[in-house]
Amino acid sequence: MMQKILVVEDEVKVANAVKKGLEENGFEVDVAYDGRMGKSLGASNNYDLVILDLNLPHSNGYEVCDVIRRRNSRIPIIMLTALGGMDDKMQAFEIGADDYLVKPFDFRELLARIRVFLKRAGSEVQQNSQYKIVIADLEIDREKKEVIRGGKKIPLTAKEYQLLEFLALHKGKVISKLVIAEKVWDIDFDTGTNVIEVYMNFLRKKIDKDFPNKLLHTKTGMGYFLAEE
């Protein structure tokens, strides 16, 4: 079955070039040329991945991302932005993007990132026979990609889920930032990037904040681990 991608991009030339390139690589592609159309398509169709421009007419990328995330909190979203500053990148991550590309970008790089996300989505269940991970009152269902803590369902983005699952699969073991960057993001981060700290903070707010027993821990200067206190 062909994998389906939504491209939300108001620059017609860029949108059509991305659509053509993806279709040549065997994907089915829908294009929305403004935010309103992006929200409509994102809310009514099932996609395997979304490529989303930040600056859009009628409704910006943040609003479109929010609508898509409410329908499917796991779907990988790659944000396109003309702004390459660290604050802009952090903002893209904070609103739920899993990755970002700064314009102008090389289509081959976009394609490589898409394949990483889709390959991981397709292989996550098969790679480990441990379908359910239970640590204290935290349950991770690896088939449904659902997380429950204390009987309450915790909504996570695709990247938050991948980070939590990776730590859970190595319960009690301290994992360095370098390993997390390589295994969860599939890239080597430069040392000036604090995206892993940002994501650990996101996870702590969702997983630990409302519970007295903390599960996510930092070993200063060494990395992070998931374990009962």
Side-chain angles (χ1 to χ4, degrees), residues 13-166:
K13 197 184 277 187
V14 174
N16 290 348
V18 169
K19 176 180 167 69
K20 183 172 180 284
L22 290 174
E23 286 176 343
E24 285 171 357
N25 281 277
F27 295 102
E28 190 180 335
V29 184
D30 284 348
V31 176
Y33 296 103
D34 62 53
R36 192 184 300 134
M37 192 177 171
K39 285 200 288 192
S40 174
L41 286 172
S44 56
N45 295 310
N46 290 318
Y47 295 100
D48 295 292
L49 183 138
V50 177
I51 298 164
L52 177 61
D53 188 23
L54 207 49
N55 298 310
L56 295 162
H58 305 309
S59 201
N60 65 35
Y62 301 121
E63 293 163 354
V64 178
C65 185
D66 185 53
V67 167
I68 293 168
R69 277 271 175 257
R70 267 184 272 149
R71 179 180 170 85
N72 181 350
S73 65
R74 295 273 182 280
I75 187 171
I77 296 177
I78 299 176
M79 201 72 85
L80 302 179
T81 173
L83 309 163
M86 188 52 68
D87 288 347
D88 304 301
K89 292 170 187 174
M90 289 301 117
Q91 194 173 9
F93 285 131
E94 280 166 16
I95 62 150
D98 296 297
D99 204 348
Y100 63 87
L101 271 179
V102 179
K103 292 179 177 178
F105 55 86
D106 188 317
F107 177 76
R108 289 169 300 178
E109 185 179 359
L110 175 63
L111 187 61
R113 295 190 189 202
I114 288 168
R115 283 181 169 148
V116 163
F117 278 113
L118 296 180
K119 182 183 172 190
R120 182 187 285 129
S123 66
E124 270 182 337
V125 172
Q126 289 90 355
Q127 67 173 298
N128 197 303
S129 58
Q130 191 179 1
Y131 292 134
K132 195 168 270 192
I133 305 169
V134 180
I135 299 168
D137 58 348
L138 176 73
E139 287 179 41
I140 301 170
D141 188 322
R142 300 185 70 213
E143 285 192 283
K144 294 180 182 173
K145 301 284 182 278
E146 284 182 357
V147 175
I148 293 167
R149 175 132 203 222
K152 180 186 166 196
K153 195 172 169 184
I154 312 276
L156 298 179
T157 67
K159 193 56 72 178
E160 288 166 352
Y161 175 83
Q162 285 159 13
L163 177 56
L164 180 68
E165 183 191 71
F166 182 69

